[in-house]
Amino acid sequence: MSDRCAAILANISAFLDGDLDQTMCAEIEAHCAECQRCAPVVEGLRQTIGLCRNAGTAPLPEHVRARARDAVTRLLRDVK
Amino acid sequence: MTRSPAVQPDRAREEYAALVRNAAGGDAAAMERLLIRAQEVAYRFSLLVCGHVEDAEDVMQDALLGTYRHVREITDPSAFRTWLYSTVRNACLMKRRRRAGEPASFVPVEQGGEREGRTPGVDVPSPAPRPDERMVDAWIDRRLRRALASLPPAYRMIVVLREIEGLPTKEVAAVIGISEANVKTRLHRAHGMLRKQLQDV
């Protein structure tokens, strides 16, 4: 792996997390446009993070939500 | 190639703060919504980080009661979310300590822990999903669930807090009690492990 690739990959987490300044982002994007090694790595991580984000917003199974609602009802009734 | 959209954590944090203010002010609907959200956070975190359904249900109950009490005492509503995740994390850690020594199912044995005299190692989930895993498969991509299970617990927790729950790294650091730099380093390593796991499937 070239030094340039290593430097790029060292920053991909920050890049995908929106943590880098514009200049560095542009450098990474430019590098990935040409590099067959780095582009799939960055894309793979982007997809992984996407799966995580979906998991965070997906509704929980109905029986879990029902359990939560029932517990709230019982609690608020018992404290009255 | 596009970058992932940056997480908008402050809006969610402000939503919590608004719910807390309204609930503390006597708004019953806000209180209900807050108590439900707290339980959902507890369930998701517990199941993903520790992996036992019955523990997740216990942690839900802890979050419900704790939130109800805390809302009436809280002085800074914008600190609620950090408090909630810290509380849930502590409840999970206590559950996990009690389980140390039991055969692990979904969760790799924690480094340093022992199971019936055997040396500690990483438990690999068997091919057929166990009941707890089926629970998680109901709402999370199975490949992701397996990839998360393969991470060391400390890394898994950071991925769950940062990438699944969407907390900013500074807040993740506050919840766990480590530096923000440490969070970023672990997150970077965890990203690499996850990516490898998902590639190998």
Side-chain angles (χ1 to χ4, degrees):
Chain A
M1 183 190 295
S2 73
D3 286 346
R4 186 82 192 111
C5 292
I8 294 291
L9 294 180
N11 280 306
I12 48 168
S13 297
F15 170 66
L16 290 171
D17 262 8
D19 241 4
L20 294 183
D21 62 45
Q22 288 279 52
T23 311
M24 289 209 63
C25 288
E27 275 183 36
I28 290 178
E29 282 166 358
H31 176 83
C32 288
E34 298 167 346
C35 179
Q36 305 287 356
R37 177 192 292 276
C38 289
V41 171
V42 176
E43 182 56 23
L45 184 54
R46 192 190 66 77
Q47 288 179 11
T48 300
I49 293 175
L51 284 178
C52 289
R53 302 268 160 91
N54 291 346
T57 54
L60 292 177
E62 177 50 33
H63 74 278
V64 177
R65 287 153 67 203
R67 184 185 197 95
R69 286 193 301 266
D70 291 348
V72 171
T73 302
R74 276 197 307 275
L75 172 69
L76 295 182
R77 181 192 64 209
D78 291 348
V79 296
K80 280 203 176 106
Chain B
M1 185 194 69
T2 52
R3 227 187 313 161
S4 292
V7 174
Q8 293 179 344
D10 293 318
R11 195 173 63 197
R13 186 173 159 144
E14 275 315 304
E15 280 174 13
Y16 272 110
L19 276 178
V20 167
R21 274 191 292 270
N22 294 340
D27 182 340
M31 178 65 92
E32 279 181 36
R33 230 177 117 210
L34 186 65
L35 292 174
I36 287 173
R37 277 182 84 161
Q39 290 179 87
E40 291 182 341
V41 160
Y43 183 84
R44 212 166 38 232
F45 183 97
S46 178
L47 203 53
L48 289 177
V49 175
C50 301
H52 295 275
V53 168
E54 56 273 25
D55 287 352
E57 290 169 354
D58 286 346
V59 175
M60 274 175 88
Q61 186 68 6
D62 291 344
L64 172 72
L65 295 174
T67 296
Y68 182 74
R69 280 194 287 265
H70 188 64
V71 163
R72 292 133 79 79
E73 300 161 354
I74 197 169
T75 50
D76 179 11
S78 67
F80 174 78
R81 190 174 67 174
T82 307
W83 172 88
L84 174 63
Y85 281 96
S86 301
T87 301
V88 165
R89 174 182 171 261
N90 289 338
C92 290
L93 285 177
M94 279 179 39
K95 294 279 175 208
R96 199 159 79 205
R97 276 181 201 135
R98 278 195 218 118
R99 282 189 179 270
E102 288 182 21
S105 54
F106 177 73
V107 177
V109 174
E110 190 154 14
Q111 272 107 14
E114 286 186 3
R115 187 158 43 98
E116 296 174 345
R118 278 183 264 169
T119 51
V122 171
D123 290 305
V124 177
S126 69
R130 283 178 287 270
D132 293 9
E133 293 165 352
R134 282 202 292 272
M135 285 287 163
V136 183
D137 286 349
W139 54 273
I140 192 175
D141 185 285
R142 180 181 294 189
R143 296 167 300 157
L144 178 62
R145 193 256 301 152
R146 286 194 173 144
L148 280 174
S150 73
L151 294 179
Y155 285 18
R156 193 184 318 133
M157 190 176 295
I158 286 187
V159 170
V160 169
L161 287 171
R162 175 77 185 106
E163 305 297 7
I164 295 181
E165 299 296 316
L167 269 60
T169 47
K170 193 167 172 182
E171 202 170 339
V172 173
V175 168
I176 297 180
I178 59 177
S179 71
E180 194 178 351
N182 214 334
V183 169
K184 289 182 181 180
T185 303
R186 291 187 192 182
L187 187 63
H188 180 72
R189 289 195 190 127
H191 280 162
M193 292 178 188
L194 276 181
R195 208 184 37 78
K196 264 197 73 54
Q197 282 290 320
L198 287 164
Q199 237 173 14
D200 291 345
V201 167

